[in-house]
Amino acid sequence: MRPADPSSSTPAIAVRDLRKEYRGGTAVDGISFEVSPGAVVGLLGGNGAGKTTTIAMIMGLVLPTAGEVRVFGVDMARDRAKILHRMNFESPYVDMPHRLTVRQNLTVFGRLYGVADLRGRIAELACELALEPLLDRPSGQLSAGQKTRVALAKALINAPDLLLLDEPTASLDPDTADWIRSHLERYRAERGAAILLASHNMAEVERLCDEVIMMKAGRIVDRGTPAALLARYGRDNLEEVFLDLARGRGRAAELAP
Amino acid sequence: MSRASSRPSFSPSRVSALCLRYLYLLRSSWPRLLELVYWPAVQMITWGFVQLYVRETSNVVALGAGTFIGAVLLWDILFRGQLGFSVSFLEEMWARNLGNLLMSPLRPAEFVTALMVMSLVRLAIGIGPVTLLAIAFFGFNLWALGVALAAFFVNLILTSWSVGLVVSGLVLRHGLGAESLAWTIMFVMLPLACVYYPVAVLPGWLQVVAWALPPTYVFEGMRALLIEQSFRADLMAVSLALNVAYLAASVAVFLWLMREARKAGSLLQAGE
């Protein structure tokens, strides 16, 4: 599979004035950002900050009320079918069919994505993600950690140039979570893929991300490299920065407009 | 030119991938397979014995011709065809797999085609053995209807897909709260499409409604064939014309409901 081209000038994701209103209120309120090819960007924010809605709009599963999402230059509201084979995602809001074995699930998704040498690709992923002993077990009989590895295998089946991850290590034990993060780091390094990651886990974001976008109540309240954010807020870790922003305390209160 | 532009807009390979997913599921679950055959068999046997009993106690020509068993088998094509379509769709909701599919390169037309194929597969599994039971128990051979059976089948399956599309669209938009429609909506056809009696039995105003439904022409055609040995091609042609119109409308409704679901953000919230 051909690696992505991180030197390309077309952003992997370009979000412009994106807005989503539901009957109950505004979930995303006019945000704009870009993710360069090969970059890992973290969306950080509390519950209801708009992270999942933003990712769903980037995937084209939710239509924006206003604004635009382009993935590798393709307008997701109009032409998402043209680019879906270069993307993939993992989310706690979806699952894999429980009665199908891991191998059957990966076969179905591999064929949907038109993966060449699918048998070889499944074997490769099974080796990388330690799935060999699980391949012929029904997906519904796996533990949470095993399911996450299978979901990640599905997300990587087409070797995507853009990977969207919504809380990829939620509810995992620290060892499994660390293992998943290491794999994502390796995949990014080898493939040159862009990754957009929504997470509540500050250590995860700090470790994986080149840039962090802090969201609150549907808006972007700050952004920068993890180091820049730590310096700006005078904190030792992103968790403290997050709490400052969430509670409007410390340097966040001083920086607030 | 981007790599994307050479991708086919309709891929039989993606349709077969989704069908494979449903076949894996059927293969892994004997209760699902049993359910496909169980109810059509029970219904056919019940109506078959009713027909035997009434034939012994009355002298109505229609009963001797096997119209009850014929009606129940054709009804099952209509009902099970829609159920096969809708249940395959519901499997994705129950499995919380819809987001994975809609985020894959699978196009809506391919998704719908796979559901149609699976409705035929499920129908073959469910109704095929029951038609053989009808021969064994009551000497009624549905297959002997030949070309007429093909015309009946095409018209009934087209109606079942139209209804299946609308039901799936409603579930897509409104979540599993609309699931019960998949099991019950077709029953409105039972009295209105005159499955077990001629249209002439209905009051005048209801006959207008009946003639607006494509299956009515099939059941009238079946009675004409079994009682008068006359194949009414005219009835089949009208039924086909109505079916084409209804199917086109159903596709439009399905796509509209899918767009509404994307607006409402309900595709990732596939619960109640």
Side-chain angles (χ1 to χ4, degrees):
Chain A
M1 267 160 284
R2 190 168 67 86
D5 179 11
S7 64
S8 167
S9 59
T10 307
I13 301 173
V15 169
R16 300 264 177 278
D17 303 320
L18 195 63
R19 184 177 176 83
K20 183 64 191 176
E21 288 173 7
Y22 293 116
R23 281 183 192 165
T26 302
V28 173
D29 193 2
I31 63 173
S32 300
F33 65 88
E34 282 188 1
V35 176
S36 304
V40 181
V41 174
L43 284 179
L44 210 56
N47 295 322
K51 308 184 299 293
T52 296
T53 304
T54 300
I55 286 191
M57 285 193 282
I58 292 169
M59 294 193 293
L61 291 181
V62 171
L63 286 178
T65 307
E68 183 184 69
V69 176
R70 285 186 178 270
V71 172
F72 296 110
V74 171
D75 183 345
M76 290 303 281
R78 291 173 55 188
D79 295 322
R80 62 193 288 269
K82 290 182 178 172
I83 203 69
L84 286 172
H85 66 285
R86 291 182 65 189
M87 308 168 65
N88 213 320
F89 85 118
E90 185 196 344
S91 165
Y93 297 98
V94 296
D95 215 339
M96 307 275 272
H98 282 196
R99 293 200 68 88
L100 270 61
T101 65
V102 172
R103 190 192 305 277
Q104 287 171 340
N105 268 317
L106 294 178
T107 300
V108 169
F109 282 103
R111 290 179 61 168
L112 285 175
Y113 280 91
V115 174
D117 183 22
L118 181 55
R119 213 172 269 192
R121 180 63 182 153
I122 291 173
E124 189 182 19
L125 285 168
C127 177
E128 287 173 11
L129 292 163
L131 293 175
E132 282 120 329
L134 310 178
L135 279 176
D136 295 312
R137 283 179 57 187
S139 300
Q141 290 179 9
L142 305 179
S143 69
Q146 290 167 336
K147 279 183 184 171
T148 302
R149 273 151 51 203
V150 172
L152 190 58
K154 175 252 143 189
L156 298 175
I157 191 81
N158 58 327
D161 296 328
L162 172 61
L163 193 52
L164 302 164
L165 302 171
D166 193 356
E167 299 176 35
T169 59
S171 75
L172 295 183
D173 66 70
D175 179 44
T176 311
D178 179 73
W179 196 87
I180 294 285
R181 285 173 204 133
S182 299
H183 190 80
L184 288 173
E185 283 176 321
R186 253 196 328 274
Y187 179 75
R188 181 258 188 114
E190 289 168 5
R191 174 78 189 162
I195 299 176
L196 181 66
L197 173 84
S199 180
H200 286 132
N201 189 308
M202 310 302 147
E204 177 170 281
V205 170
E206 210 167 325
R207 170 173 161 185
L208 292 177
C209 296
D210 306 311
E211 186 186 359
V212 180
I213 295 171
M214 311 288 284
M215 291 187 72
K216 185 179 177 183
R219 293 183 179 179
I220 293 175
V221 289
D222 209 342
R223 69 176 81 186
T225 63
L229 287 169
L230 296 179
R232 196 175 307 154
Y233 290 86
R235 294 295 190 178
D236 295 327
N237 57 59
L238 280 180
E239 185 158 347
E240 288 171 348
V241 174
F242 175 84
L243 289 172
D244 284 351
L245 282 164
R247 297 174 183 176
R249 71 182 193 190
R251 193 72 63 85
E254 297 166 21
L255 294 171
Chain B
M1 186 183 285
S2 75
R3 279 191 283 165
S5 59
S6 62
R7 299 263 148 177
S9 56
F10 185 94
S11 161
S13 170
R14 289 194 289 264
V15 173
S16 71
L18 195 56
C19 289
L20 184 65
R21 175 257 191 277
Y22 297 124
L23 292 174
Y24 281 146
L25 182 68
L26 281 176
R27 210 174 64 181
S28 74
S29 172
W30 67 261
R32 279 178 168 85
L33 282 172
L34 179 65
E35 191 274 334
L36 290 179
V37 185
Y38 168 73
W39 188 245
V42 167
Q43 205 179 350
M44 186 278 296
I45 289 169
T46 305
W47 281 100
F49 283 123
V50 168
Q51 177 162 300
L52 280 182
Y53 168 70
V54 178
R55 191 170 60 185
E56 285 168 8
T57 55
S58 70
N59 196 22
V60 181
V61 176
L63 295 170
T67 52
F68 271 14
I69 300 181
V72 85
L73 290 173
L74 292 184
W75 163 255
D76 264 332
I77 291 173
L78 179 66
F79 180 55
R80 293 278 150 182
Q82 177 259 317
L83 219 49
F85 186 103
S86 302
V87 168
S88 295
F89 179 82
L90 285 170
E91 294 280 7
E92 304 303 354
M93 302 289 281
W94 295 329
R96 298 173 70 229
N97 188 40
L98 203 57
N100 281 323
L101 293 182
L102 296 179
M103 184 52 198
S104 79
L106 185 75
R107 310 284 175 93
E110 294 160 355
F111 194 0
V112 167
T113 304
L115 295 176
M116 288 173 172
V117 171
M118 285 314 298
S119 116
L120 293 175
V121 170
R122 296 173 74 106
L123 203 53
I125 296 170
I127 304 294
V130 176
T131 60
L132 300 180
L133 280 179
I135 297 171
F137 274 68
F138 307 108
F140 180 84
N141 186 359
L142 188 71
W143 301 99
L145 300 183
V147 176
L149 176 63
F152 296 159
F153 182 86
V154 167
N155 277 311
L156 291 172
I157 202 74
L158 288 176
T159 307
S160 76
W161 289 345
S162 295
V163 176
L165 267 167
V166 172
V167 169
S168 301
L170 287 169
V171 173
L172 199 59
R173 172 62 190 87
H174 298 287
L176 287 172
E179 177 188 343
S180 61
L181 285 174
W183 308 97
T184 57
I185 197 167
M186 194 57 97
F187 283 103
V188 75
M189 294 277 188
L190 205 50
L192 293 180
C194 303
V195 176
Y196 296 114
Y197 42 77
V199 177
V201 166
L202 298 178
W205 64 272
L206 210 49
Q207 288 186 23
V208 176
V209 178
W211 287 122
L213 302 171
T216 305
Y217 298 84
V218 172
F219 291 108
E220 284 291 288
M222 177 206 67
R223 280 185 285 272
L225 187 66
L226 292 179
I227 299 169
E228 301 157 17
Q229 281 77 50
S230 156
F231 175 61
R232 295 282 306 275
D234 57 328
L235 292 178
M236 294 306 101
V238 177
S239 182
L240 186 62
L242 285 174
N243 266 318
V244 169
Y246 286 143
L247 192 60
S250 303
V251 168
V253 168
F254 179 80
L255 292 175
W256 174 72
L257 286 167
M258 183 179 247
R259 188 173 173 79
E260 288 301 302
R262 287 172 71 200
K263 273 189 199 168
S266 54
L267 292 183
L268 279 181
Q269 297 149 3
E272 296 175 347

